[in-house]
Amino acid sequence: MDLNSVLKREPAMLIGGSWVESDETRPVINPADESTVAEAPEGDASHVEAALEAAQKAQRSWGRRSGVGRGAVLRAVADGIRARQEELARLVVAEQGKTITEARGEIGAAAGFFDYYASFDRAQVGSMFAPDEAGEQLFVKSVPYGVVAAITPWNYPAAIFARKVAPAIMAGNSIVLKPHENTPLAALALAGILEEVGVPPGIVNVVTGAGPIVGDALVRHSLTQMVTVTGSVRAGREILAAAAASITPVSLELGGKAPFIVLEDADLDAAVQNAVNARFWNCGQVCTCNERTYVHRDLYDEFVERFVERASSLRMGDPMREDVQMGPKVSEPELVKVESFVEDAVRQGASVALGGGRPEGEEFEKGYWFEPTVLTGATNDMDIVQNEVFGPVLPIQAFDDFEEAINLANDSPYGLSAYIFTRDLNRAMRAIDDIDFGEVYINKIGPEQLQGFHTGYRLSGMGGDDGPYGYERYFRRKTVYLGYDPSTVDEAPSDLG
Ligand code: NAD
């Protein structure tokens, strides 16, 4: 594909309004055929320093603009993204491997984040309290942090860019974003659109490169006032530890291990279809994916049979093709990780009901392909049920009653999303109360909606993204005690006696 149509240049980092190349580069590999899509700049601590300084310099005047002024810029970004939707979608397919249909949805979502956060242009920015003294005012203002650092993963390289950048800059911050090493191009292309539509130089900066070098330098730098991360638990722990030195606030969106519970009164057709979609979208590489399905024993055999039938008919292949429903894994290490999860599960006693390995055929000779896979006979203590697989593999287990299902679901170090299919209102409500996850879906699956709050419990993170609660993360508070009339004093209380 002609990358220059959307990147408009050889991939370069956007730092303080200038496009910066680096001496070292890293190849961006197309996961469908292992071809090199482009060479991306490999940034280092000096690029981080330059980007943070530019961000700090630019932030004050941006933060002083009215909300309406900033909102107008965000709306222009949304329009700019929509105008390039097809080129951006193709770029995401080339570097990440999701299908073109999914990639178009991702770009639509990226534009949606800018439109949605623009709507906060006249939102409340503080609260007023009755002061203790007359002739005074007491108010608590919401103020931007200043410079925000964002670190993003490879599974939604465009949408997660927007999920971080839109609320951060709407709140009046500037931002330095580091995309994942495997998928830097969408962020660079989006940065180009932001520049084109008039986001001032230095407000949004993108530095590409390694997590432990560029990411770590961003987190530790004294100019960074807040860190927002989406990624693995491993990276989240390292970032939290690095931020501890300077007590920098961190918002973490980490892994998931969503349970998908099907009670005996569920609409079986809807449950099967949704369970398939929630497992195999983006080749199983979504933090809200159905990672473990629990089905009431009365429905279990029929559910497994129908699930296997649907999963086996998924069309896998070149993700640029309109008719393809599942692309490859993102990288060789990710493919090997999924393979070893399946091998270990089988060694521990699970049985393969579908798939189980790399597909055969000329189309799959190159690239990081894994078949849709279904496992039966798994138990909750197995690695495949306890750890995030992030690939097209589903263990399905049977349970006997509602309480057991809830206990199996809660028996997890993760706590992001959970799904329940039932027609029984009483049990749906009890599940909402008793499921210890930050996001619960009843009789439906995601994606999440802009106004919700995407938040994980336990290892799944702290803080959260989206909606007004996600927006709050980009502000700190400032309390103002304002004396304006020292001559005003309270009347002495009258003698009521
Ligand atoms: P990853 O942890 O490998 O990388 C995420 C980012 O962190 C990358 O930019 C990486 O370079 C950076 N990084 C890694 N180590 C670092 C360090 N020591 N210091 C600073 N930065 C560092 O994650 P990934 O493989 O890109 O993404 C997949 C993971 O992301 C999955 O676990 C998935 O569940 C999770 N995820 C979560 C959400 C959510 O909203 N909860 C959404 C999407 C993905």
Side-chain angles (χ1 to χ4, degrees), residues 151-156 160 163 178-181 209-212 215-216 219 229-235 238-239 253-256 286-287 334 388 390 416 454 460 465:
I151 296 177
T152 57
W154 48 258
N155 64 339
Y156 285 93
I160 296 181
R163 191 179 227 174
K178 190 206 88 68
H180 194 278
E181 300 74 330
D216 188 67
V219 174
V229 181
T230 299
S232 62
V233 173
R234 178 199 54 76
E238 288 171 10
I239 290 166
E253 288 294 346
L254 306 177
V286 189
C287 56
E334 276 290 318
E388 186 184 44
F390 227 52
L416 187 58
H454 187 52
S460 294
D465 280 324

Side-chain angles (χ1 to χ4, degrees), residues 337-351:
K337 185 191 81 180
V338 170
E339 229 168 14
S340 63
F341 262 120
V342 173
E343 282 165 17
D344 289 350
V346 170
R347 207 172 309 121
Q348 290 167 19
S351 309

Side-chain angles (χ1 to χ4, degrees), residues 1-3 5-7 30-31 37 80-111 155-159 183 185-187 189-190 193 282 318-322:
M1 69 181 287
D2 177 15
L3 280 178
S5 68
V6 64
L7 284 170
N30 183 330
V37 181
I81 293 174
R82 289 199 181 100
R84 314 298 282 272
Q85 178 162 21
E86 191 59 22
E87 296 154 85
L88 286 166
R90 289 178 170 270
L91 188 63
V92 167
V93 176
E95 69 173 347
Q96 196 268 332
K98 61 168 56 79
T99 66
I100 184 68
T101 315
E102 291 173 309
R104 287 182 189 126
E106 175 172 354
I107 303 304
N155 64 339
Y156 285 93
T183 54
L185 302 178
L190 287 166
I193 292 173
N282 199 6
D318 177 0
M320 286 289 185
R321 263 177 35 203
E322 300 284 340

Side-chain angles (χ1 to χ4, degrees), residues 9-338:
R9 59 185 66 77
E10 284 304 304
M13 299 179 278
L14 183 60
I15 298 178
S18 302
W19 292 96
V20 177
E21 292 178 6
S22 67
D23 298 338
E24 293 201 16
T25 60
R26 179 193 293 256
V28 179
I29 305 297
N30 183 330
D33 61 11
E34 299 176 49
S35 61
T36 299
V37 181
E39 291 285 337
E42 189 70 8
D44 60 30
S46 70
H47 299 108
V48 169
E49 178 88 26
L52 287 170
E53 280 173 6
Q56 191 198 30
K57 209 163 144 219
Q59 187 268 329
R60 189 160 286 187
S61 62
W62 175 251
R64 280 187 185 145
R65 284 195 195 190
S66 66
V68 171
R70 289 197 298 270
V73 175
L74 267 78
R75 287 189 185 92
V77 173
D79 291 345
I81 293 174
R82 289 199 181 100
R84 314 298 282 272
Q85 178 162 21
E86 191 59 22
E87 296 154 85
L88 286 166
R90 289 178 170 270
L91 188 63
V92 167
V93 176
E95 69 173 347
Q96 196 268 332
K98 61 168 56 79
T99 66
I100 184 68
T101 315
E102 291 173 309
R104 287 182 189 126
E106 175 172 354
I107 303 304
F113 279 111
F114 284 94
D115 264 343
Y116 173 71
Y117 279 108
S119 76
F120 284 72
D121 55 355
R122 295 186 174 88
Q124 189 177 346
V125 286
S127 340
M128 222 161 182
F129 295 87
D132 286 359
E133 308 288 341
E136 289 188 353
Q137 285 194 346
L138 193 175
F139 51 94
V140 181
K141 278 164 66 85
S142 301
V143 296
Y145 276 96
V147 179
V148 169
I151 296 177
T152 57
W154 48 258
N155 64 339
Y156 285 93
I160 296 181
F161 173 100
R163 191 179 227 174
K164 308 290 191 198
V165 171
I169 69 172
M170 187 61 216
N173 301 286
S174 56
I175 188 165
V176 181
L177 181 138
K178 190 206 88 68
H180 194 278
E181 300 74 330
N182 290 347
T183 54
L185 302 178
L188 297 176
L190 287 166
I193 292 173
L194 267 65
E195 182 196 38
E196 200 172 270
V197 303
V199 176
I203 295 304
V204 177
N205 307 272
V206 179
V207 181
T208 50
I213 296 175
V214 172
D216 188 67
L218 265 178
V219 174
R220 289 180 192 276
H221 202 289
S222 59
L223 289 179
T224 298
Q225 297 297 299
M226 185 262 178
V227 178
T228 174
V229 181
T230 299
S232 62
V233 173
R234 178 199 54 76
R237 282 198 181 108
E238 288 171 10
I239 290 166
L240 198 54
S246 49
I247 320 282
T248 304
V250 181
S251 182
L252 298 173
E253 288 294 346
L254 306 177
K257 189 75 193 169
F260 192 108
I261 300 173
V262 183
L263 298 182
E264 67 271 36
D265 57 49
D267 174 341
L268 190 60
D269 254 352
V272 171
Q273 184 60 59
N274 282 289
V276 168
N277 292 347
R279 173 63 284 185
F280 298 112
W281 56 29
N282 199 6
C283 193
Q285 304 167 124
V286 189
C287 56
T288 56
C289 264
N290 162 18
E291 283 259 332
R292 49 195 174 114
T293 293
Y294 301 104
V295 184
H296 191 277
R297 203 171 296 283
D298 290 352
L299 298 181
Y300 182 79
D301 289 341
E302 196 177 349
F303 183 96
V304 172
E305 191 182 319
R306 289 207 211 175
F307 188 98
V308 165
E309 194 185 311
R310 277 190 200 252
S312 59
S313 70
L314 287 172
R315 274 185 304 281
M316 209 176 17
D318 177 0
M320 286 289 185
R321 263 177 35 203
E322 300 284 340
D323 63 333
V324 158
Q325 293 164 300
M326 195 175 97
K329 284 284 300 166
V330 73
S331 65
E332 176 83 33
E334 276 290 318
L335 173 63
V336 169
K337 185 191 81 180
V338 170

